[in-house]
């Protein structure tokens, strides 16, 4: 690759060696620690109601593919119950016309009690899980 790096966990220092031509003055370093960007959590008795998520760009969440997975049907596949948009205990939720990119986990996770959830016309690309 064009660059080399090493992170020292003890000192919490990131060492970066730029072995490309040009100055490193214009480089941008970005790091993330979020697995969930938007969290809508209610209950069957007190659901989160009447919410719309429209026209947003959501990107660069922390990877989750090594986190625990559940087996929802007892079959031979696993499911990560988290996402950049997490919904549980919701009613009348619309997720539309968003761009979800470079998420290192699921884009959308709808769990447990959820009624009248509409997901349409979203662009989901370059993601780590689904």
């Amino acid at each position: 690759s064009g660059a080399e790096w090493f992170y020292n966990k003890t000192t919490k220092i990131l060492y970066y060696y730029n072995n490309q031509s040009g100055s490193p003055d214009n480089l941008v370093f970005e790091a993330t620690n979020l697995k969930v960007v938007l969290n809508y959590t209610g209950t069957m008795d007190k659901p989160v109601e009447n919410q719309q998520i429209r026209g947003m760009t959501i990107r660069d969440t922390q990877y989750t593919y090594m986190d625990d997975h559940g087996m929802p049907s007892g079959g031979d596949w696993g499911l990560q119950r988290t996402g950049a948009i997490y919904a549980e205990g919701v009613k009348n939720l619309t997720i539309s016309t968003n761009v979800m990119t470079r998420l290192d986990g699921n884009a959308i996770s709808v769990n447990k009690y959820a009624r009248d959830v509409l997901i349409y016309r979203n662009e989901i690309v370059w993601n780590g899980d689904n």
Side-chain angles (χ1 to χ4, degrees), residues 2-59:
E4 299 292 330
W5 60 273
F6 170 74
Y7 179 69
N8 185 323
K9 291 181 182 180
T10 305
T11 62
K12 298 183 179 179
I13 294 175
L14 174 68
Y15 295 92
Y16 175 78
Y17 174 71
N18 180 24
N19 61 3
Q20 297 178 358
S21 63
S23 171
D25 293 340
N26 295 327
L27 293 177
V28 176
F29 289 94
E30 296 177 348
T32 183
N33 64 347
L34 295 178
K35 295 179 182 180
V36 177
V37 177
L38 299 173
N39 183 351
Y40 293 88
T41 301
T43 65
M44 186 184 302
D45 294 331
K46 293 184 180 180
V48 176
E49 296 186 74
N50 305 318
Q51 299 295 307
Q52 294 186 20
I53 304 167
R54 292 188 306 181
M56 294 182 65
T57 298
I58 302 171
R59 60 173 294 150

Side-chain angles (χ1 to χ4, degrees), residues 32-100:
T32 183
N33 64 347
L34 295 178
K35 295 179 182 180
V36 177
V37 177
L38 299 173
N39 183 351
Y40 293 88
T41 301
T43 65
M44 186 184 302
D45 294 331
K46 293 184 180 180
V48 176
E49 296 186 74
N50 305 318
Q51 299 295 307
Q52 294 186 20
I53 304 167
R54 292 188 306 181
M56 294 182 65
T57 298
I58 302 171
R59 60 173 294 150
D60 301 318
T61 55
Q62 184 178 3
Y63 74 84
T64 61
Y65 51 84
M66 296 299 289
D67 291 356
D68 290 337
H69 286 63
M71 292 177 50
S73 68
D76 62 349
W77 58 282
L79 177 65
Q80 176 89 50
R81 290 200 181 269
T82 189
I85 299 174
Y86 181 84
E88 175 182 316
V90 295
K91 189 173 181 181
N92 192 21
L93 171 65
T94 301
I95 304 169
S96 67
T97 61
N98 299 289
V99 176
M100 293 168 243

